[in-house]
Amino acid sequence: MLTGPWLIYGANGYTGELVARLAKQRGHRPILAGRSAAEVCSVADALALERRLFSLDDPPRVDEGLAGMHLVLHCAGPFSRTSRPMADACLRTATHYLDITGEVAVFEALAARDAEARERGVMLLPGAGFDVVPSDCLAVHLKRRLPGARRLALAYGGLGRLSRGTATTAIEGLGGGALVRRDGVLTPVPLAWHTRAIDFGEGPRRAITVPLGDVTTAWHSTGIPDVELFFAAPPALRLFARASRALGPILGSETVRRFLTARVRAGAPGPTDEERRKGRAFVWGEVEDETGRRARSRLSTAEGYTFTARAALAIVERVLAGQAPTGFQTPAKAYGPDLVLEIEGTARVDEPSGA
Ligand SMILES: NC(=O)c1ccc[n+]([C@@H]2O[C@H](COP(=O)([O-])OP(=O)(O)OC[C@H]3O[C@@H](n4cnc5c(N)ncnc54)[C@H](OP(=O)(O)O)[C@@H]3O)[C@@H](O)[C@H]2O)c1
């Protein structure tokens, strides 16, 4: 059993608590942390784990909170607000940083600190959850199948019910359009820029262009210059996505965001244990080279939040075992494309290559 001192920040959140529970089951003793004393203590008491209470707006207190820690698994989002102060503290205190973000701006900001992290001997690995472990591993696997690939498309399907934190994070991005990578450069495009039929293994489903973290991570992991992300969306969501092009300024307004966030906060924290047990999630990918040769592969995994807890913990265990390449890392760059196959409940299928 690995016992290095490590900390889960945001341990009272839906996902942070899932990771804490799984970690305890596997014999780990993470320190549970967050800013809300009563909530963090309630989780820590239930799991009989140590706790540390600190908010992220007081840098010396954050440094104190990380004292003696080998790594932090940061589960407090939206990460657009929380990643920077935690990454700053990790770099000051030489603590490895892992998070479960899916936000493009957060991946970009951490990637820009690669040299600083190397200098400090720190690993910065965002996206240790469902977004982006499977898709990043699939991207590198596809590049392995077609080394000359110039174009990469990745798609997410079957995600099921969102947690409050995921929905709140999605609301933050409303009105912002989508992003693709073109010739290695992040390029804004309208939401639902393209629609395509994608077979995740159960027949074709319509999917639309969305902004997801892989526009950064797939580029860093594979060097493929053109990357586009898709999300399988029911007809109403596709219609909403297209309408949002015109409604962008309204959807992005503070009033609308506050209203939607309040609605989300009044709802359930996330999928029930039963929903997570029954749920499945899917990722599909396709690469193409200059001659038109293509390769396609797909993954099916455990439900997204269950997968996130398992994947984040698998990465924590590697870091504790000393496998922590310094600098900005993606899951597949640090641990290879087959990392995903080690996450319980994952299967990968390769379609035959062809034109
Ligand atoms: N990439 C993936 O696959 C994946 C999977 C799951 C979750 N996520 C992301 O992870 C984040 C958390 O999701 P969740 O479902 O666990 O949400 P949640 O249940 O709402 O929990 C959010 C956690 O973040 C903390 N927090 C929020 N803002 C904070 C701030 N400014 N300073 C300190 N702590 C703060 C909250 O603390 P308080 O209780 O004190 O507010 C709570 O502990 C979301 O951004 C979500 O999108 C990503």
Side-chain angles (χ1 to χ4, degrees):
M1 188 182 65
L2 301 157
T3 53
W6 62 286
L7 182 141
I8 300 175
Y9 191 84
N12 63 304
Y14 177 81
T15 314
E17 185 177 345
L18 277 185
V19 182
R21 271 167 31 195
L22 185 63
K24 178 77 194 286
Q25 274 169 27
R26 296 221 180 139
H28 292 280
R29 303 213 42 92
I31 293 176
L32 305 190
R35 63 177 173 178
S36 297
E39 287 80 358
V40 174
C41 289
S42 147
V43 179
D45 288 344
L47 295 174
L49 291 171
E50 251 184 77
R51 78 281 332 252
R52 289 188 186 180
L53 304 169
F54 56 96
S55 74
L56 298 176
D57 44 26
D58 179 0
R61 283 285 295 118
V62 187
D63 291 2
E64 231 175 82
L66 296 189
M69 293 300 106
H70 191 59
L71 73 96
V72 58
L73 174 61
H74 190 19
C75 294
F79 290 91
S80 53
R81 300 194 193 151
T82 64
S83 169
R84 173 87 207 203
M86 184 61 88
D88 284 348
C90 284
L91 290 167
R92 284 193 301 268
T93 58
T95 308
H96 297 306
Y97 171 103
L98 307 177
D99 76 24
I100 54 164
T101 191
E103 298 158 65
V104 179
V106 174
F107 285 106
E108 285 290 309
L110 290 167
R113 305 186 81 173
D114 177 54
E116 204 184 333
R118 282 174 202 276
E119 217 170 89
R120 301 287 300 141
V122 165
M123 179 173 85
L124 298 175
L125 192 153
F130 184 74
D131 197 351
V132 295
V133 172
S135 48
D136 193 47
C137 288
L138 199 60
V140 175
H141 174 65
L142 283 162
K143 168 86 177 181
R144 180 166 69 179
R145 291 187 62 201
L146 190 66
R150 290 276 311 163
R151 279 174 290 283
L152 167 69
L154 290 166
Y156 289 69
L159 291 189
R161 188 133 70 101
L162 301 182
S163 73
R164 282 199 290 236
T166 307
T168 307
T169 304
I171 290 167
E172 294 239 318
L174 276 180
L179 282 166
V180 297
R181 199 166 279 274
R182 280 281 165 270
D183 291 327
V185 177
L186 269 189
T187 309
V189 295
L191 197 58
W193 185 45
H194 290 141
T195 302
R196 62 183 287 182
I198 287 174
D199 187 352
F200 293 91
E202 298 177 337
R205 294 171 60 192
R206 309 289 285 174
I208 55 174
T209 315
V210 288
L212 290 171
D214 306 84
V215 288
T216 303
T217 48
W219 161 245
H220 282 271
S221 302
T222 66
I224 297 175
D226 289 356
V227 182
E228 186 168 357
L229 276 305
F230 291 88
F231 180 78
L237 194 57
R238 296 202 300 271
L239 195 67
F240 174 79
R242 269 184 231 102
S244 76
R245 295 176 190 175
L247 296 173
I250 301 170
L251 290 173
S253 75
E254 244 343 274
T255 317
V256 170
R257 281 188 190 159
R258 264 205 300 272
F259 170 75
L260 292 175
T261 304
R263 293 286 301 261
V264 165
R265 288 280 139 205
T272 61
D273 287 351
E274 178 71 359
E275 284 170 330
R276 282 190 296 99
R277 202 167 33 249
K278 286 188 179 156
R280 302 284 301 157
F282 305 93
V283 180
W284 168 100
E286 177 189 85
V287 280
E288 189 181 354
D289 69 12
E290 289 298 15
T291 68
R293 264 179 70 80
R294 286 187 188 159
R296 283 189 193 137
S297 300
R298 55 179 194 266
L299 291 168
S300 67
T301 73
E303 184 275 345
Y305 293 92
T306 296
F307 181 94
T308 293
R310 290 175 183 168
L313 199 54
I315 293 178
V316 164
E317 286 173 347
R318 279 169 173 72
V319 178
L320 293 177
Q323 298 169 39
T326 59
F328 173 76
Q329 295 295 334
T330 67
K333 215 168 108 185
Y335 304 114
D338 297 333
L339 166 71
V340 71
L341 300 181
E342 293 170 36
I343 313 300
E344 187 190 333
T346 303
R348 187 172 65 206
V349 174
D350 291 334
E351 291 180 16
S353 303

